[in-house]
Amino acid sequence: MRTQVGIVGAGPAGLLLSHLLARQGIDAVVLETRSRDYVEQRVRAGVLEHPTVELLREVGLADRLDREGLPHEGISLRFDGGDHRIDFADLTGRGIVVYGQQEVVKDLIAARLDAGGDILFEVSDVAVAGLDDDPLITFTDADGRAQELHCAVIAGCDGFHGITRGAFAPEMFERDYPFAWLGILAKAAPTHHELVYASHANGFALYSMRSPEVTRLYLQVPPDTDASTWSDGQVWDELGTRLAADGFHLNEGPVLEKSVTAMRSVVAEPMRHGRLFLAGDAAHIVPPTGAKGMNLAIADVRVLAEALTGYLRNGDESGIDAYSDTCLRRVWRAEHFSWWMTSMLHTFDTEDAFTRRLQLSQLRYTVSSRAAATSLAENYVGLPHGAL
Ligand code: RFL
Ligand code: PHB
């Protein structure tokens, strides 16, 4: 088999890259280890920042997003028994849209398959070679046949646990956090129209949603927590405690999904080796507190699609040479924002009263100073692509 761009991974990064390249007349084949059903059902991110929504509209992927997505113009920060709204619309003139990552993935897969695009699901034994001059991807297809895919370049969009990053030795920058998130998806109508980020002495809690019928909620828990050790009743009780505020009521309902997410910050530098380009979680991850992971993946492939178009059409290497540095500017901004939100809102060491007072001071400043609130708001809604 032969194609121009061999894309490893059918998450938001790989799928959107294949769509953007197809719009420029460039061929790509996407290889994915999981089944179509699995990637379409995987529950993950929910917040699309403003530049992400604009891009999806620009490239014809926003019909359902515009019908079903929930536009939000702010969030609440809840601490010390008080609720404080950060008004994105007033502070930045922009907002976010709550729309599940798996819905973005479904829309992308449908668009690619309708246009005759190649996505090979349920492949295995994926390996990359020839990164300096003759890129090759070897894999076993869904029918068990060994295959070779020759390409001009390879895009490593295979997420944090993929294989492409390991094909070279980028420098790794990492930070661990002493906690994880227990997330539930519940069949319960949201009772509040925006997201609530709560900093409570027992730990952080987040109130989010997916649709007018489904609420998405998270609790800070110790790292390595086994989700099954929390009964549904315990989860609801703890959410009630941490999210409590005057006039706030939490609708309970059947728990559809319960899982634990580890919290880490990791960046691989550079994001390119020869003709292999990493994008999205394959190159960097953030703790979910800033809602940046999927948005960063999308920003990366926007830069990559343009760079590859210049290279594959005209032999212009300026875009591919600048790719890693260009992306890393936005990546580090998001790394900082996610680390800052995480540090401000979570309970670290209950004995450490000094840290707790610093957090409360930062929270009070953020909700009372227009300059501080604007800084949070412009990062949350997303700096314009190319701004840095
Ligand atoms: P993905 O989505 O992990 O996709 C990678 C794909 O590659 C496949 N794969 C392979 N395919 C072929 N060969 C191999 N050897 C392969 N190894 C792996 C995988 O099966 C998969 O299909 O990476 P991508 O495309 O870079 O997208 C990144 C996002 O998925 C991720 O950053 C977000 O989900 C992070 N995230 C959030 N991001 C946001 O922007 N806003 C949010 O509100 C948000 N909340 C979250 C989150 C992530 C969470 N979890 C579960 C980690 C909330 C949570 C709880
Ligand atoms: C979500 O709805 O899953 C979500 C929202 C905001 C975050 C993280 C996750 O910061």
Side-chain angles (χ1 to χ4, degrees):
M1 296 167 72
R2 186 167 290 281
T3 189
Q4 286 176 288
V5 184
I7 300 177
V8 185
L15 291 166
L16 180 61
L17 179 63
S18 73
H19 180 85
L20 297 176
L21 291 172
R23 285 169 55 87
Q24 301 301 327
I26 293 170
D27 289 338
V29 173
V30 182
L31 303 175
E32 167 62 50
T33 45
R34 302 289 190 163
S35 67
R36 176 177 180 180
D37 196 49
Y38 184 93
V39 300
E40 290 190 342
Q41 301 307 323
R42 188 164 45 194
V43 178
R44 283 198 169 175
V47 172
L48 305 187
E49 58 177 33
H50 180 77
T52 297
V53 175
E54 274 192 321
L55 175 64
L56 294 175
R57 285 192 183 129
E58 227 174 273
V59 300
L61 289 168
D63 289 355
R64 201 160 66 90
L65 162 64
D66 282 330
R67 278 199 314 276
E68 297 176 17
L70 307 171
H72 286 197
E73 297 195 332
I75 56 167
S76 282
L77 296 183
R78 199 165 280 178
F79 57 93
D80 243 1
D83 186 76
H84 310 265
R85 184 161 184 268
I86 305 286
D87 187 333
F88 296 158
D90 172 44
L91 295 164
T92 70
R94 285 177 271 138
I96 54 157
V97 176
V98 173
Y99 188 66
Q101 175 170 326
Q102 69 270 41
E103 306 307 323
V104 175
V105 164
K106 278 182 210 160
D107 295 345
L108 278 163
I109 291 175
R112 289 309 301 131
L113 295 181
D114 282 355
D118 287 309
I119 310 174
L120 307 185
F121 292 100
E122 297 179 67
V123 305
S124 51
D125 310 321
V126 179
V128 297
L131 302 182
D132 290 325
D133 44 17
D134 192 14
L136 171 68
I137 308 178
T138 53
F139 63 98
T140 304
D141 70 19
D143 299 321
R145 285 184 301 243
Q147 299 280 6
E148 292 193 342
L149 176 63
H150 294 269
C151 30
V153 299
I154 298 174
C157 302
D158 48 347
F160 189 60
H161 301 288
I163 52 99
T164 55
R165 189 178 62 248
F168 66 110
E171 189 173 357
M172 304 299 288
F173 299 84
E174 309 191 22
R175 169 119 339 159
D176 283 325
Y177 302 89
F179 39 75
W181 279 13
L182 173 71
I184 63 163
L185 197 65
K187 190 153 179 46
T191 50
H192 188 75
H193 62 292
E194 290 175 343
L195 274 62
V196 179
Y197 288 79
S199 170
H200 186 275
N202 289 6
F204 170 75
L206 172 59
Y207 173 91
S208 180
M209 63 207 68
R210 283 293 177 275
S211 72
E213 296 86 36
V214 175
T215 317
R216 178 77 168 144
L217 300 139
Y218 298 94
L219 284 174
Q220 175 185 348
V221 293
D224 307 319
T225 294
D226 174 354
S228 66
T229 60
W230 281 75
S231 71
D232 295 356
Q234 283 172 312
V235 174
W236 287 115
D237 282 352
E238 193 58 26
L239 285 164
T241 302
R242 297 190 195 177
L243 288 165
D246 272 354
F248 181 79
H249 160 77
L250 194 58
N251 260 350
E252 297 185 13
V255 174
L256 308 172
E257 202 250 5
K258 193 192 292 167
S259 59
V260 171
T261 302
M263 307 274 282
R264 276 177 93 186
S265 303
V266 183
V267 181
E269 288 190 16
M271 290 168 59
R272 172 198 182 185
H273 179 83
R275 297 218 226 150
L276 167 66
F277 299 84
L278 302 181
D281 277 19
H284 42 71
I285 53 170
V286 287
T289 326
K292 287 291 166 231
M294 172 173 50
N295 294 295
L296 269 187
I298 285 173
D300 284 351
V301 298
R302 175 183 216 163
V303 178
L304 186 55
E306 204 179 307
L308 292 179
T309 302
Y311 176 58
L312 295 169
R313 272 220 199 121
N314 314 316
D316 174 2
E317 299 197 13
S318 59
I320 59 172
D321 286 346
Y323 170 70
S324 179
D325 286 349
T326 303
C327 288
L328 284 167
R329 285 168 184 264
R330 189 177 188 84
V331 168
W332 277 110
R333 178 86 295 279
E335 290 290 342
H336 180 272
F337 180 66
S338 306
W339 163 84
W340 176 75
M341 287 281 280
T342 302
S343 308
M344 177 168 72
L345 289 161
H346 291 73
T347 304
F348 279 75
D349 177 349
T350 43
E351 302 300 312
D352 182 1
F354 189 86
T355 300
R356 185 65 192 145
R357 279 165 177 70
L358 289 181
Q359 287 177 319
L360 287 172
S361 166
Q362 183 64 37
L363 283 162
R364 287 188 199 108
Y365 175 56
T366 301
V367 302
S368 55
S369 151
R370 189 171 174 91
T374 304
S375 174
L376 188 158
E378 71 173 356
N379 279 281
Y380 199 99
V381 302
L383 297 170
H385 286 163
L388 299 163

